[in-house]
Amino acid sequence: MSFSYLEKFVTALQEQNQKKEELFEQTITGTIRRVQKELLDESFLPSMSLKKLFDKLLRRSRYPMEIAISGQFSSGKSTFLNALLQKDILPTGITPVTSKVNFINYGTKFRLKATYYSGHEAFHPIEDIAIFTDQRQDVQNVKYLTLYAPMEILKDLSFVDTPGLNSLSQSDTTTTEKVLRDVDGIIWLTLMDNAGKESEAEVLQKYMSHFSQKSLCVLNQKDKFTQKEIDTTTAYVKETFSDYFSKVIPISAKQALESRQYQKKILIDDEIRQLSQRFKKSLPEHFDAKNLDFFKKDFQHYQELIKQIQDKDSSDDIKKQEASNILEVIDFIEDVIRPQAITAKAFSIKEDLRSICDILIKEYQTILSVFETLDEIHQNGIVTMKLQLKDLLSQQNHELFVIQENLQAIINTMAHEIFINIKPFSKQRFEPSKSLFTKSTKYSAINYEALKIDQEAILKNLFFDDQTIDKKINRSMKLLQELEDDTATTLRTIFFTLKVSVEKWRSTYEYLDKQREISSDLEFANTRNFVARVYENFLSYYHANNEETVAVMKKNFAHLKGSIAFNYRQVTQATIAFFETKINQSLNSYEKDPTQFNIYRPNEDEILERLYESFSMDKIVNYLTSSHSHMHNIITYAEEELDFILKERTEFLKKEQQAIHDKIKKVQKIQSNIL
């Protein structure tokens, strides 16, 4: 029973700790949050710039739709905006009065913010807007203005009041052109009596040809013309400027402003706002008051004003609003610009998200190329090293064969010297013989030619007079030493070739840095660290193998030189003693029974064979020039070690590459899911 409870407890704990898949809303904001969560995963070591960019995209996704108000100067843009905003906020005049871009955004109260080219920002009273927007004022240090207003329309829309495209200032015209590229919709305002003129056509052709899908043409001051004139002008503009606007609407901004300024709801909202401001202003002076009597008069005055507004006849306002045709503009914004803007914004942000993935993929590919280049250098370097080892073996085989021939010549000389110093000498033996007349045995002296080895002459001729053998032995030892030194140098040069290639690779990438700000600083730092540690991670293994090969080679050469130099005189004397014994043994046997035994005389081949055996020449030959020679074994060992290290280091490098490959695949998958 207790086990069952324990099992249930563990299951419940696992369910509680199990990471649940986070669900994101099916909006552009939800898409941003999903991609943000995926790309800011710690496995990607994301940069602060990438985190800030996602914050910026989220803010952008929540930004109200931006509509630019543009046109030639004195076309009534500010009056039109005041009509849309239901309040005389922007200054109006005959001369161009909008010298700066004005962003009109939602705020809890009326405020004006000036953003300067220095980056400094400052808030000013709303009444000071005329100072900053008048082209007649010197406000060159102001970059743009942001006007905040507590109006419902601004919760979903943000207006951008621009200088005219034919402004006196070319910089203002350039600024306006840039704004038009970025906004969600454009309202082109022109005066009814100016519409369609050649001067306007030139401006439209120059600046507006790319924005027709999001542009509305508004013909202002319709209140000054008859309905026939309005219809004629509207039809003409629709036909003439069809490439620039998706719709043409005639309006009267003046009538719209007048009607909306005096609508009951707007007037009541204004009174509520003013009452709230008066209360906040009076409250600090009566902080200790136990009641609100200090505000009684203000509130009574507010109630009277509200009653007057409610009793007011609104029929004239309604007629003016209908006559102004402003509602058609609002409907166009709601029905055409807003859906297009939402779609365009979503498309644009998704393109930005895909671009972020592209940037990250390219940067990861840059990092991957670092490892791939090293892998190529590594693989090619080992192939080259093995070829160089084979060339070394081929060269050494020839030189070792020369040394072997020298040693064989030395032994031949020694054998020949021994052979020519086996000399005859006269010796007597006594042979018994019986006389016919006596029974006693007599011995007769018989002379015969015996043999002896002149050891003194041999040693004198080989070692003492001209030091013939010593010189030849020393010459062979010198050749072996030179071969040993050359082999060590060549082996180290083979490693040095790989080292130079890898060091060149290191110098190429040791200062590798990201090309785009949003890329991971840590990924590139880790890559630079890997590059800096290439000796430790790669070269040290081959260096150690190279030095070990050199050490084994030297040890074997030392053994070989010792075998040759240590006992060649003793071998000569031992060979002489060997044959002297055999000769003496044969003499003894011969003297005992000359009919059965002969005097032994070694030939030169026998002497040579004995010297070969005493010198262990078969082992030396095998050591020098056989298919399993000393050098062959060393090169084979070196190649086997190279293959082992190559496999081990390649696996190490592949893990590093695979980690980057996996990240590229993850980003590509994230990118493919941005639909």
Side-chain angles (χ1 to χ4, degrees):
M1 180 68 71
S2 61
F3 178 77
S4 176
Y5 279 119
L6 179 61
E7 191 176 51
K8 289 180 180 179
F9 172 75
V10 171
T11 302
L13 190 63
Q14 288 175 339
E15 290 177 354
Q16 181 179 350
N17 293 331
Q18 185 178 9
K19 187 176 181 180
K20 295 182 179 180
E21 182 180 356
E22 187 174 352
L23 298 177
F24 298 93
E25 57 185 7
Q26 298 299 312
T27 63
I28 188 60
T29 301
T31 300
I32 296 171
R33 290 193 180 280
R34 174 174 57 80
V35 177
Q36 178 188 40
K37 181 176 183 296
E38 293 170 339
L39 288 182
L40 294 186
D41 187 90
E42 287 304 313
S43 64
F44 289 117
L45 306 178
S47 66
M48 286 302 300
S49 296
L50 182 59
K51 295 176 182 178
K52 290 179 181 178
L53 179 56
F54 275 111
D55 291 340
K56 183 178 178 181
L57 286 174
L58 284 171
R59 288 196 301 271
R60 179 182 165 193
S61 72
R62 295 190 292 264
Y63 279 162
M65 177 178 60
E66 284 190 338
I67 297 179
I69 311 299
S70 190
Q72 300 190 76
F73 73 85
S74 298
S75 56
K77 294 191 302 299
S78 297
T79 303
F80 172 71
L81 259 175
N82 286 339
L84 285 177
L85 297 175
Q86 312 164 11
K87 188 176 181 67
D88 279 319
I89 298 174
L90 299 172
T92 59
I94 299 175
T95 58
V97 293
T98 303
S99 65
K100 298 295 175 185
V101 174
N102 302 324
F103 294 92
I104 306 171
N105 298 337
Y106 177 79
T108 56
K109 61 181 179 180
F110 284 101
R111 290 194 304 169
L112 177 65
K113 182 178 74 174
T115 301
Y116 297 85
Y117 284 101
S118 64
H120 173 66
E121 295 179 344
F123 285 92
H124 301 272
I126 192 70
E127 295 78 13
D128 290 350
I129 190 170
I131 299 174
F132 293 98
T133 59
D134 195 337
Q135 289 189 8
R136 295 163 294 184
Q137 302 294 328
D138 183 15
V139 286
Q140 296 302 314
N141 58 340
V142 176
K143 187 176 182 180
Y144 61 86
L145 300 170
T146 305
L147 187 153
Y148 297 95
M151 298 180 175
E152 289 297 317
I153 192 173
L154 295 178
K155 289 183 177 180
D156 297 316
L157 296 176
S158 177
F159 293 104
V160 186
D161 188 18
T162 66
L165 279 171
N166 57 343
S167 170
L168 298 176
S169 170
Q170 180 58 42
S171 64
D172 289 343
T173 300
T174 302
T175 300
T176 299
E177 187 181 4
K178 182 179 183 303
V179 168
L180 297 182
R181 287 198 299 268
D182 297 333
V183 295
D184 301 305
I186 300 171
I187 296 178
W188 175 267
L189 202 70
T190 184
L191 298 178
M192 183 74 70
D193 60 353
N194 193 54
K197 289 186 178 180
E198 184 177 348
S199 60
E200 187 168 49
E202 291 175 354
V203 172
L204 290 172
Q205 184 177 8
K206 185 174 182 181
Y207 298 108
M208 295 289 292
S209 57
H210 302 298
F211 310 128
S212 61
Q213 294 302 314
K214 59 180 181 180
S215 297
L216 166 68
C217 179
V218 174
L219 306 177
N220 195 13
Q221 296 184 349
K222 70 184 281 288
D223 54 296
K224 295 182 179 181
F225 299 91
T226 66
Q227 188 60 46
K228 183 178 180 180
E229 290 173 328
I230 293 171
D231 293 341
T232 301
T233 302
T234 302
Y236 173 75
V237 172
K238 284 182 179 179
E239 180 180 355
T240 306
F241 295 149
S242 60
D243 291 340
Y244 308 120
F245 307 115
S246 58
K247 190 168 184 178
V248 179
I249 300 175
I251 68 154
S252 170
K254 178 175 176 291
Q255 288 178 329
L257 180 60
E258 289 174 352
S259 70
R260 296 181 75 90
Q261 276 184 323
Y262 301 108
Q263 286 183 19
K264 291 182 180 181
K265 182 179 183 306
I266 295 171
L267 294 174
I268 290 173
D269 287 344
D270 281 345
E271 292 301 329
I272 291 174
R273 189 178 303 110
Q274 291 176 24
L275 179 68
S276 175
Q277 290 174 351
R278 287 196 296 272
F279 180 77
K280 289 179 181 178
K281 185 177 180 181
S282 302
L283 189 60
E285 299 176 6
H286 304 84
F287 183 74
D288 296 331
K290 295 181 179 179
N291 54 52
L292 298 178
D293 289 344
F294 69 90
F295 199 64
K296 186 175 181 179
K297 289 184 179 180
D298 287 317
F299 188 71
Q300 289 175 344
H301 179 67
Y302 161 76
Q303 288 178 313
E304 292 171 0
L305 290 175
I306 293 300
K307 187 174 185 310
Q308 292 176 9
I309 293 171
Q310 290 174 335
D311 294 341
K312 177 180 177 293
D313 184 4
S314 301
S315 58
D316 288 341
D317 295 338
I318 295 172
K319 290 178 181 178
K320 283 184 179 180
Q321 185 184 66
E322 291 175 350
S324 72
N325 212 24
I326 194 69
L327 292 179
E328 190 173 351
V329 175
I330 295 173
D331 289 342
F332 183 86
I333 292 173
E334 289 295 327
D335 299 339
V336 179
I337 293 181
R338 183 189 292 276
Q340 288 182 358
I342 292 172
T343 302
K345 179 185 286 188
F347 177 81
S348 176
I349 290 177
K350 287 178 182 179
E351 283 296 297
D352 288 345
L353 292 173
R354 294 186 188 98
S355 296
I356 290 171
C357 292
D358 280 333
I359 290 170
L360 297 179
I361 289 169
K362 287 178 182 177
E363 293 288 65
Y364 276 125
Q365 287 172 339
T366 297
I367 293 174
L368 185 61
S369 69
V370 175
F371 296 102
E372 289 175 339
T373 304
L374 178 60
D375 190 23
E376 183 179 356
I377 291 172
H378 183 215
Q379 301 290 339
N380 293 339
I382 302 310
V383 171
T384 301
M385 288 178 74
K386 292 173 74 172
L387 289 174
Q388 289 173 324
L389 286 173
K390 291 186 184 301
D391 290 341
L392 173 62
L393 179 60
S394 178
Q395 295 169 7
Q396 303 300 49
N397 280 344
H398 173 73
E399 295 181 27
L400 289 168
F401 187 76
V402 171
I403 293 171
Q404 177 182 315
E405 287 184 327
N406 287 344
L407 293 175
Q408 288 173 332
I410 290 170
I411 295 174
N412 288 340
T413 299
M414 294 166 63
H416 181 69
E417 191 63 37
I418 293 173
F419 178 74
I420 64 174
N421 279 287
I422 300 176
K423 296 179 180 179
F425 67 95
S426 181
K427 189 176 180 183
Q428 286 185 336
R429 67 179 178 81
F430 294 91
E431 188 176 295
S433 62
K434 291 183 179 182
S435 174
L436 294 175
F437 304 103
T438 64
K439 293 183 179 181
S440 60
T441 302
K442 293 184 178 181
Y443 288 89
S444 301
I446 299 175
N447 293 324
Y448 67 94
E449 189 178 80
L451 297 173
K452 68 176 181 178
I453 300 176
D454 190 349
Q455 180 173 338
E456 184 178 348
I458 293 170
L459 297 178
K460 179 174 178 294
N461 293 335
L462 290 178
F463 305 119
F464 301 136
D465 282 354
D466 296 329
Q467 297 182 325
T468 304
I469 299 302
D470 287 343
K471 290 178 180 179
K472 290 183 177 181
I473 289 291
N474 289 338
R475 173 61 181 161
S476 294
M477 298 296 288
K478 183 179 179 182
L479 289 174
L480 281 171
Q481 186 61 51
E482 290 174 352
L483 184 59
E484 178 185 341
D485 294 340
D486 290 345
T487 302
T489 300
T490 303
L491 287 171
R492 290 191 171 107
T493 300
I494 290 173
F495 166 73
F496 184 74
T497 303
L498 175 65
K499 181 181 179 183
V500 168
S501 298
V502 173
E503 286 294 328
K504 185 177 180 181
W505 169 87
R506 183 190 60 77
S507 64
T508 302
Y509 295 110
E510 63 181 338
Y511 299 114
L512 179 73
D513 202 359
K514 63 182 186 180
Q515 298 298 307
R516 302 296 292 270
E517 190 63 29
I518 64 172
S519 302
S520 170
D521 298 285
L522 286 175
E523 289 283 15
F524 279 86
N526 290 341
T527 304
R528 289 193 299 272
N529 184 55
F530 178 89
V531 172
R533 299 178 61 187
V534 69
Y535 177 86
E536 178 183 344
N537 290 331
F538 280 87
L539 290 178
S540 63
Y541 293 85
Y542 293 105
H543 190 193
N545 174 58
N546 186 261
E547 290 302 314
E548 184 179 358
T549 302
V550 170
V552 171
M553 181 272 300
K554 286 182 172 290
K555 180 180 178 181
N556 288 345
F557 264 100
H559 178 72
L560 176 61
K561 288 185 290 186
S563 298
I564 295 171
F566 180 70
N567 59 357
Y568 65 92
R569 290 193 182 189
Q570 291 86 335
V571 166
T572 303
Q573 292 173 326
T575 301
I576 292 172
F578 174 81
F579 284 108
E580 281 182 337
T581 300
K582 289 195 70 172
I583 290 172
N584 290 334
Q585 288 175 346
S586 70
L587 285 174
N588 290 334
S589 297
Y590 176 80
E591 287 180 351
K592 290 177 181 178
D593 189 356
T595 61
Q596 293 294 323
F597 299 99
N598 294 319
I599 299 173
Y600 173 67
R601 182 184 180 90
N603 59 42
E604 195 167 343
D605 288 339
E606 289 179 294
I607 299 170
L608 185 62
E609 184 179 350
R610 182 64 187 179
L611 285 171
Y612 263 64
E613 184 179 347
S614 299
F615 261 108
S616 299
M617 195 62 187
D618 56 338
K619 293 183 179 179
I620 292 176
V621 169
N622 184 62
Y623 206 68
L624 291 175
T625 59
S626 72
S627 59
H628 297 286
S629 66
H630 150 67
M631 281 305 300
H632 178 274
N633 292 337
I634 289 176
I635 298 303
T636 301
Y637 169 78
E639 289 178 336
E640 290 174 351
E641 286 298 302
L642 284 179
D643 286 337
F644 175 78
I645 298 171
L646 173 64
K647 180 180 178 181
E648 185 184 50
R649 292 298 89 194
T650 298
E651 289 177 356
F652 168 77
L653 188 56
K654 291 299 182 185
K655 287 181 181 178
E656 298 289 334
Q657 289 175 275
Q658 190 60 50
I660 303 300
H661 269 301
D662 290 344
K663 289 182 180 181
I664 291 175
K665 288 180 181 178
K666 285 181 181 178
V667 177
Q668 288 173 334
K669 184 177 180 181
I670 293 169
Q671 186 182 47
S672 66
N673 289 332
I674 302 173
L675 304 175

